[in-house]
Amino acid sequence: MPRPRIHDLDEVLDVTENLVVAGGVSAVTLRAVAAATGMSNGALYHAFGSRGGLVGRAWLRAAHRFLDLQRASVDEVLGSASTPDRGIDAVVAAADAPAAFAARFPESSRLLLTVRREELLGSDPPADVAAELSRLDSILVALLVRLSRALWDRGDAPAVAIVEDCVVGLPTGLLLRRRRVPDAAMRRRLEAAVRAVLALDPPPAPPGRGGHTKGPR
């Protein structure tokens, strides 16, 4: 008897990305993915549980790719020789990560821009997808706290909020709203905006905390 075909699940997720980017979440059906990959509906259901699980796993793969790239860029800066602007440089690197990600993984980047988290969660998300989304939140918060402590040796909410503005808010407004790969000029404007924000003193720490909280360095 012929040996059963071993399917590459990354190929399935690639196809799912392409379908979402081209036609939105509604374009993803088990039949469409099966036709593109040669994988049976039953095998897809066994691997991903449902259509929602399939889209969720594609989104989570893209999100992990992004966070891995972002954290690596921060590690590279903070792991280098200590300089007065090292914390600022690390925030700039984290803010530039969406542009670097779009250049390296264009389809994954478009998927994250096309599908909102709320669409993944819906009214009854697969339990594994919901749990992994929560874990991603923890990873991002840990990165924001690390950057805040590198800047000001603080991990309190007001300080971390400034870092979030630089790492999430500014890139979303300057780079991602146009839904195209950012060019060098756009990236320079983003860097200038981040450095301008960080040139200002951070807000006061909450009373009684001394500006310090436990968190990753």
Side-chain angles (χ1 to χ4, degrees):
M1 294 180 63
R3 299 177 64 181
R5 179 181 174 187
I6 299 176
H7 294 277
D8 182 354
L9 296 186
D10 268 330
E11 178 189 354
V12 175
L13 297 180
D14 289 341
V15 167
T16 303
E17 276 190 347
N18 294 336
L19 288 171
V20 172
V21 169
V25 177
S26 62
V28 179
T29 65
L30 295 183
R31 178 176 296 180
V33 175
T37 62
M39 196 171 180
S40 69
N41 284 7
L44 286 170
Y45 185 83
H46 178 75
F48 298 101
S50 65
R51 173 183 170 277
L54 175 58
V55 175
R57 280 292 149 195
W59 196 94
L60 288 169
R61 183 186 68 163
H64 275 293
R65 282 175 170 175
F66 170 70
L67 286 174
D68 287 348
L69 184 152
Q70 187 174 53
R71 288 189 295 172
S73 67
V74 170
D75 288 343
E76 183 177 357
V77 175
L78 294 183
S80 61
S82 181
T83 63
D85 291 336
R86 187 176 66 162
I88 294 174
D89 293 340
V91 176
V92 168
D96 185 65
F101 180 66
R104 183 172 177 182
F105 297 107
E107 291 299 286
S108 291
S109 176
R110 293 188 187 101
L111 174 64
L112 294 181
L113 292 174
T114 300
V115 182
R116 295 179 297 114
R117 286 172 57 108
E118 292 77 9
E119 291 182 74
L120 294 181
L121 291 171
S123 59
D124 186 24
D128 59 335
V129 171
E132 193 63 17
L133 284 169
S134 179
R135 194 172 82 85
L136 286 174
D137 287 339
S138 298
I139 293 172
L140 177 58
V141 169
L143 178 65
L144 297 176
V145 172
R146 182 186 182 196
L147 290 169
S148 180
R149 292 178 68 85
L151 285 165
W152 305 301
D153 198 22
R154 289 173 52 180
D156 54 85
V160 172
I162 298 300
V163 176
E164 184 177 7
D165 287 342
C166 292
V167 172
V168 180
L170 286 175
T172 299
L174 294 178
L175 296 182
L176 304 181
R177 64 183 178 182
R178 300 181 184 181
R179 302 289 181 94
R180 62 183 176 85
V181 177
D183 58 25
M186 294 169 64
R187 294 169 80 166
R188 287 194 298 270
R189 286 194 289 271
L190 173 63
E191 178 178 354
V194 170
R195 292 188 183 277
V197 169
L198 297 180
L200 303 175
D201 291 333
R209 295 191 179 184
H212 299 275
T213 64
K214 292 183 179 179
R217 295 299 299 265

PDB file of all heavy atoms in Angstrom, residues 2-15:
ATOM      1  N   PRO A   2       0.466   2.311  -0.684  1.00  0.00           N
ATOM      2  CA  PRO A   2       1.278   3.542  -0.667  1.00  0.00           C
ATOM      3  C   PRO A   2       1.288   4.153   0.719  1.00  0.00           C
ATOM      4  O   PRO A   2       0.315   4.061   1.464  1.00  0.00           O
ATOM      5  CB  PRO A   2       0.547   4.442  -1.671  1.00  0.00           C
ATOM      6  CG  PRO A   2      -0.852   3.942  -1.688  1.00  0.00           C
ATOM      7  CD  PRO A   2      -0.758   2.448  -1.501  1.00  0.00           C
ATOM      8  N   ARG A   3       2.409   4.763   1.075  1.00  0.00           N
ATOM      9  CA  ARG A   3       2.531   5.406   2.374  1.00  0.00           C
ATOM     10  C   ARG A   3       1.683   6.682   2.397  1.00  0.00           C
ATOM     11  O   ARG A   3       1.604   7.398   1.404  1.00  0.00           O
ATOM     12  CB  ARG A   3       3.998   5.754   2.669  1.00  0.00           C
ATOM     13  CG  ARG A   3       4.883   4.527   2.720  1.00  0.00           C
ATOM     14  CD  ARG A   3       6.332   4.911   2.947  1.00  0.00           C
ATOM     15  NE  ARG A   3       6.507   5.547   4.259  1.00  0.00           N
ATOM     16  CZ  ARG A   3       7.679   5.997   4.702  1.00  0.00           C
ATOM     17  NH1 ARG A   3       8.757   5.926   3.932  1.00  0.00           N
ATOM     18  NH2 ARG A   3       7.777   6.540   5.896  1.00  0.00           N
ATOM     19  N   PRO A   4       1.021   6.952   3.515  1.00  0.00           N
ATOM     20  CA  PRO A   4       0.201   8.170   3.573  1.00  0.00           C
ATOM     21  C   PRO A   4       1.077   9.418   3.460  1.00  0.00           C
ATOM     22  O   PRO A   4       2.205   9.448   3.928  1.00  0.00           O
ATOM     23  CB  PRO A   4      -0.458   8.087   4.953  1.00  0.00           C
ATOM     24  CG  PRO A   4       0.442   7.197   5.753  1.00  0.00           C
ATOM     25  CD  PRO A   4       1.001   6.208   4.766  1.00  0.00           C
ATOM     26  N   ARG A   5       0.525  10.437   2.808  1.00  0.00           N
ATOM     27  CA  ARG A   5       1.262  11.680   2.649  1.00  0.00           C
ATOM     28  C   ARG A   5       1.386  12.394   3.992  1.00  0.00           C
ATOM     29  O   ARG A   5       0.430  12.483   4.749  1.00  0.00           O
ATOM     30  CB  ARG A   5       0.543  12.591   1.652  1.00  0.00           C
ATOM     31  CG  ARG A   5       1.245  13.932   1.457  1.00  0.00           C
ATOM     32  CD  ARG A   5       0.469  14.802   0.490  1.00  0.00           C
ATOM     33  NE  ARG A   5       1.066  16.132   0.409  1.00  0.00           N
ATOM     34  CZ  ARG A   5       0.529  17.146  -0.261  1.00  0.00           C
ATOM     35  NH1 ARG A   5      -0.597  16.969  -0.923  1.00  0.00           N
ATOM     36  NH2 ARG A   5       1.120  18.328  -0.283  1.00  0.00           N
ATOM     37  N   ILE A   6       2.579  12.864   4.296  1.00  0.00           N
ATOM     38  CA  ILE A   6       2.796  13.651   5.505  1.00  0.00           C
ATOM     39  C   ILE A   6       2.675  15.123   5.137  1.00  0.00           C
ATOM     40  O   ILE A   6       3.442  15.635   4.319  1.00  0.00           O
ATOM     41  CB  ILE A   6       4.185  13.349   6.116  1.00  0.00           C
ATOM     42  CG1 ILE A   6       4.287  11.873   6.505  1.00  0.00           C
ATOM     43  CG2 ILE A   6       4.437  14.242   7.328  1.00  0.00           C
ATOM     44  CD1 ILE A   6       5.642  11.461   7.014  1.00  0.00           C
ATOM     45  N   HIS A   7       1.723  15.787   5.711  1.00  0.00           N
ATOM     46  CA  HIS A   7       1.455  17.165   5.329  1.00  0.00           C
ATOM     47  C   HIS A   7       2.255  18.122   6.210  1.00  0.00           C
ATOM     48  O   HIS A   7       2.428  17.907   7.406  1.00  0.00           O
ATOM     49  CB  HIS A   7      -0.042  17.470   5.458  1.00  0.00           C
ATOM     50  CG  HIS A   7      -0.879  16.696   4.478  1.00  0.00           C
ATOM     51  ND1 HIS A   7      -1.062  17.115   3.177  1.00  0.00           N
ATOM     52  CD2 HIS A   7      -1.568  15.536   4.626  1.00  0.00           C
ATOM     53  CE1 HIS A   7      -1.843  16.235   2.557  1.00  0.00           C
ATOM     54  NE2 HIS A   7      -2.158  15.287   3.407  1.00  0.00           N
ATOM     55  N   ASP A   8       2.731  19.173   5.598  1.00  0.00           N
ATOM     56  CA  ASP A   8       3.458  20.222   6.287  1.00  0.00           C
ATOM     57  C   ASP A   8       2.439  21.234   6.807  1.00  0.00           C
ATOM     58  O   ASP A   8       1.791  21.938   6.027  1.00  0.00           O
ATOM     59  CB  ASP A   8       4.440  20.881   5.313  1.00  0.00           C
ATOM     60  CG  ASP A   8       5.278  21.971   5.977  1.00  0.00           C
ATOM     61  OD1 ASP A   8       5.014  22.296   7.152  1.00  0.00           O
ATOM     62  OD2 ASP A   8       6.186  22.493   5.311  1.00  0.00           O
ATOM     63  N   LEU A   9       2.276  21.292   8.128  1.00  0.00           N
ATOM     64  CA  LEU A   9       1.271  22.195   8.691  1.00  0.00           C
ATOM     65  C   LEU A   9       1.635  23.655   8.467  1.00  0.00           C
ATOM     66  O   LEU A   9       0.746  24.508   8.391  1.00  0.00           O
ATOM     67  CB  LEU A   9       1.083  21.907  10.181  1.00  0.00           C
ATOM     68  CG  LEU A   9       0.522  20.517  10.526  1.00  0.00           C
ATOM     69  CD1 LEU A   9       0.235  20.414  12.007  1.00  0.00           C
ATOM     70  CD2 LEU A   9      -0.721  20.199   9.706  1.00  0.00           C
ATOM     71  N   ASP A  10       2.925  23.973   8.350  1.00  0.00           N
ATOM     72  CA  ASP A  10       3.304  25.348   8.022  1.00  0.00           C
ATOM     73  C   ASP A  10       2.792  25.720   6.634  1.00  0.00           C
ATOM     74  O   ASP A  10       2.408  26.871   6.400  1.00  0.00           O
ATOM     75  CB  ASP A  10       4.828  25.521   8.073  1.00  0.00           C
ATOM     76  CG  ASP A  10       5.303  25.978   9.444  1.00  0.00           C
ATOM     77  OD1 ASP A  10       4.535  26.673  10.137  1.00  0.00           O
ATOM     78  OD2 ASP A  10       6.420  25.629   9.821  1.00  0.00           O
ATOM     79  N   GLU A  11       2.780  24.761   5.718  1.00  0.00           N
ATOM     80  CA  GLU A  11       2.229  25.028   4.384  1.00  0.00           C
ATOM     81  C   GLU A  11       0.740  25.344   4.494  1.00  0.00           C
ATOM     82  O   GLU A  11       0.230  26.247   3.810  1.00  0.00           O
ATOM     83  CB  GLU A  11       2.435  23.823   3.472  1.00  0.00           C
ATOM     84  CG  GLU A  11       1.842  24.000   2.076  1.00  0.00           C
ATOM     85  CD  GLU A  11       1.857  22.712   1.255  1.00  0.00           C
ATOM     86  OE1 GLU A  11       2.426  21.716   1.722  1.00  0.00           O
ATOM     87  OE2 GLU A  11       1.269  22.722   0.156  1.00  0.00           O
ATOM     88  N   VAL A  12       0.039  24.625   5.363  1.00  0.00           N
ATOM     89  CA  VAL A  12      -1.384  24.883   5.565  1.00  0.00           C
ATOM     90  C   VAL A  12      -1.592  26.290   6.115  1.00  0.00           C
ATOM     91  O   VAL A  12      -2.487  27.030   5.675  1.00  0.00           O
ATOM     92  CB  VAL A  12      -1.982  23.840   6.530  1.00  0.00           C
ATOM     93  CG1 VAL A  12      -3.447  24.173   6.835  1.00  0.00           C
ATOM     94  CG2 VAL A  12      -1.877  22.436   5.943  1.00  0.00           C
ATOM     95  N   LEU A  13      -0.755  26.692   7.058  1.00  0.00           N
ATOM     96  CA  LEU A  13      -0.876  28.029   7.627  1.00  0.00           C
ATOM     97  C   LEU A  13      -0.508  29.095   6.604  1.00  0.00           C
ATOM     98  O   LEU A  13      -1.102  30.186   6.597  1.00  0.00           O
ATOM     99  CB  LEU A  13      -0.007  28.153   8.873  1.00  0.00           C
ATOM    100  CG  LEU A  13      -0.389  27.226  10.033  1.00  0.00           C
ATOM    101  CD1 LEU A  13       0.540  27.434  11.219  1.00  0.00           C
ATOM    102  CD2 LEU A  13      -1.843  27.426  10.451  1.00  0.00           C
ATOM    103  N   ASP A  14       0.450  28.789   5.718  1.00  0.00           N
ATOM    104  CA  ASP A  14       0.779  29.725   4.631  1.00  0.00           C
ATOM    105  C   ASP A  14      -0.439  29.947   3.733  1.00  0.00           C
ATOM    106  O   ASP A  14      -0.754  31.086   3.351  1.00  0.00           O
ATOM    107  CB  ASP A  14       1.943  29.189   3.793  1.00  0.00           C
ATOM    108  CG  ASP A  14       3.280  29.237   4.513  1.00  0.00           C
ATOM    109  OD1 ASP A  14       3.397  29.985   5.500  1.00  0.00           O
ATOM    110  OD2 ASP A  14       4.206  28.515   4.082  1.00  0.00           O
ATOM    111  N   VAL A  15      -1.107  28.867   3.381  1.00  0.00           N
ATOM    112  CA  VAL A  15      -2.291  28.967   2.529  1.00  0.00           C
ATOM    113  C   VAL A  15      -3.379  29.775   3.234  1.00  0.00           C
ATOM    114  O   VAL A  15      -4.043  30.623   2.624  1.00  0.00           O
ATOM    115  CB  VAL A  15      -2.799  27.557   2.162  1.00  0.00           C
ATOM    116  CG1 VAL A  15      -4.202  27.628   1.549  1.00  0.00           C
ATOM    117  CG2 VAL A  15      -1.838  26.878   1.200  1.00  0.00           C
TER     118      VAL A  15
END
